[in-house]
Amino acid sequence: MITILFNAKADAGEGEENAKVAAKAAEAKFGEAKFVNLIGLDVQKYLKGVKEDEIVVLAGGDGTLNHFINDIGDAPIPNEIYLLPTGTGNDFLNDVKDVQDPETSLVPLHDYISNLPIIEVKDKKYRFINGIGFGIDGECCVKADELKAQGKKNLDYGKITVNLLLFHFKAPNATVKVDGEEMKFKKTYIAAAMNGRCYGGGMLVAPEQKRNSGLLSFVAIHGKGRIGTLLIFPKLFKGTHVQNKKNVTIKTGKVIEVTFDKPTGLQIDGEVVKDVTSYKAYIA
């Protein structure tokens, strides 16, 4: 028995159709699937009722995955649970392609969504699977959400980021602790906490980060002016920004605490939190 969980609102409202197309190879292997819409589904109740012979497949990208991991609560995670990547946001897939089944496109999820790191922000706790973006990356997501609310489509996130960097974003000063070791940065453009290597559609923020390593990577870009920082940003897509030791700082640890001296947008696997001054990310 195979059950496909999909988000009907994903992919501009084509979440169900895209899931059914993507699932054809899995159905050919495991039999006809039952399709269940995640919208309105009590995920915890559903997981507690999963049968022993049931294969659970989550169809979607990073956004759907983020909502799922924060909806499961303390419900048991089935051993036979998989991701069927659809849509455009698949930074998680970038890290796990080596375990993806070439026949069905399914990615085993159990080991990747057990014991996930936590972020505490604005007195709330969230699980995250890829990373936390605090700074201009968070502000980019805030601006994108505003444009979407205005009905804008096919947004160019690179263009939004460049516009913010050159004209609108005022880089805050940051105080950071990684496992208690304190650092201070001026003109902080990014202060990320990474569980995976990528966020933002393929930005290789933490090239050496390994999932399930028991450690997070803190990554900061800081200290330069607008033009100098603009020259660093394209290097994020190849991971070569790490070669700039003066303006890029990377530390690994179990607990990352960041405080900005002015409110700034923050994103959790692409989900936006506005006007944030601090966060704490950790592995329990």
Side-chain angles (χ1 to χ4, degrees), residues 71-134:
D71 286 343
I72 59 179
D74 61 355
I77 300 171
N79 287 324
E80 292 289 324
I81 184 167
Y82 299 87
L83 175 72
L84 179 62
T86 63
T88 56
N90 285 302
D91 285 311
F92 172 72
L93 183 62
N94 287 332
D95 280 350
V96 298
K97 282 184 177 179
D98 59 327
V99 299
Q100 184 179 29
D101 185 334
E103 180 183 354
T104 62
S105 297
L106 298 181
V107 177
L109 270 182
H110 181 276
D111 291 348
Y112 295 109
I113 63 175
S114 301
N115 303 316
L116 282 168
I118 303 292
I119 175 174
E120 295 182 4
V121 58
K122 286 193 166 183
D123 298 321
K124 293 184 178 180
K125 295 183 180 181
Y126 307 89
R127 294 182 175 101
F128 65 99
I129 195 160
N130 292 325
I132 307 303
F134 191 28

Side-chain angles (χ1 to χ4, degrees), residues 47 85 278:
L47 290 178
S278 66

Side-chain angles (χ1 to χ4, degrees), residues 1-75:
M1 177 181 180
I2 179 171
T3 302
I4 310 286
L5 306 177
F6 67 91
N7 181 348
K9 292 185 178 180
D11 304 335
E14 297 182 355
E16 181 175 6
E17 181 180 348
N18 289 346
K20 288 182 175 179
V21 171
K24 289 186 181 299
E27 287 188 291
K29 183 173 182 178
F30 299 110
E32 185 177 355
K34 176 183 178 183
F35 288 82
V36 177
N37 189 0
L38 282 166
I39 296 176
L41 178 69
D42 185 331
V43 173
Q44 294 186 41
K45 182 178 179 180
Y46 165 73
L47 290 178
K48 291 175 181 178
V50 168
K51 299 177 175 60
E52 288 187 8
D53 62 345
E54 186 173 354
I55 297 171
V56 180
V57 176
L58 181 67
D62 294 324
T64 299
L65 190 51
N66 173 271
H67 282 285
F68 183 78
I69 62 176
N70 281 290
D71 286 343
I72 59 179
D74 61 355

Side-chain angles (χ1 to χ4, degrees), residues 13 27 74 89 91 148 156 231 260:
E27 287 188 291
D74 61 355
D91 285 311
K148 288 176 185 177
D156 186 333
L231 296 176
F260 279 177

Side-chain angles (χ1 to χ4, degrees), residues 38-275:
L38 282 166
I39 296 176
L41 178 69
D42 185 331
V43 173
Q44 294 186 41
K45 182 178 179 180
Y46 165 73
L47 290 178
K48 291 175 181 178
V50 168
K51 299 177 175 60
E52 288 187 8
D53 62 345
E54 186 173 354
I55 297 171
V56 180
V57 176
L58 181 67
D62 294 324
T64 299
L65 190 51
N66 173 271
H67 282 285
F68 183 78
I69 62 176
N70 281 290
D71 286 343
I72 59 179
D74 61 355
I77 300 171
N79 287 324
E80 292 289 324
I81 184 167
Y82 299 87
L83 175 72
L84 179 62
T86 63
T88 56
N90 285 302
D91 285 311
F92 172 72
L93 183 62
N94 287 332
D95 280 350
V96 298
K97 282 184 177 179
D98 59 327
V99 299
Q100 184 179 29
D101 185 334
E103 180 183 354
T104 62
S105 297
L106 298 181
V107 177
L109 270 182
H110 181 276
D111 291 348
Y112 295 109
I113 63 175
S114 301
N115 303 316
L116 282 168
I118 303 292
I119 175 174
E120 295 182 4
V121 58
K122 286 193 166 183
D123 298 321
K124 293 184 178 180
K125 295 183 180 181
Y126 307 89
R127 294 182 175 101
F128 65 99
I129 195 160
N130 292 325
I132 307 303
F134 191 28
I136 196 167
D137 41 358
E139 283 296 304
C140 178
C141 290
V142 170
K143 183 62 177 178
D145 276 6
E146 292 173 353
L147 293 172
K148 288 176 185 177
Q150 296 169 17
K152 302 292 178 62
K153 298 181 179 180
N154 301 318
L155 299 178
D156 186 333
Y157 283 80
K159 185 176 180 180
I160 294 172
T161 301
V162 170
N163 185 267
L164 285 169
L165 179 58
L166 293 181
F167 303 110
H168 304 291
F169 183 73
K170 296 181 180 179
N173 299 321
T175 301
V176 179
K177 290 182 180 179
V178 178
D179 288 348
E181 179 186 349
E182 185 172 286
M183 299 166 282
K184 292 184 180 292
F185 303 110
K186 294 183 177 180
K187 294 182 179 179
T188 309
Y189 292 88
I190 286 178
M194 302 297 296
N195 180 50
R197 298 181 304 154
C198 305
Y199 67 45
M203 295 173 69
L204 200 54
V205 181
E208 300 301 319
Q209 173 63 18
K210 291 180 172 55
R211 294 179 182 272
N212 297 337
S213 66
L215 296 172
L216 301 172
S217 288
F218 169 74
V219 182
I221 296 178
H222 56 87
K224 273 188 174 291
R226 296 179 184 273
I227 300 301
T229 303
L230 180 61
L231 296 176
I232 293 175
F233 266 62
K235 298 178 181 179
L236 281 161
F237 288 94
K238 293 185 177 180
T240 56
H241 60 292
V242 300
Q243 297 170 7
N244 186 332
K245 304 296 184 181
K246 182 178 180 181
N247 302 108
V248 178
T249 298
I250 300 178
K251 297 283 186 181
T252 58
K254 290 182 175 293
V255 182
I256 296 168
E257 300 171 86
V258 180
T259 301
F260 279 177
D261 64 359
K262 63 183 70 173
T264 307
L266 177 145
Q267 60 89 8
I268 307 167
D269 292 336
E271 299 298 312
V272 175
V273 184
K274 294 181 179 180
D275 299 324

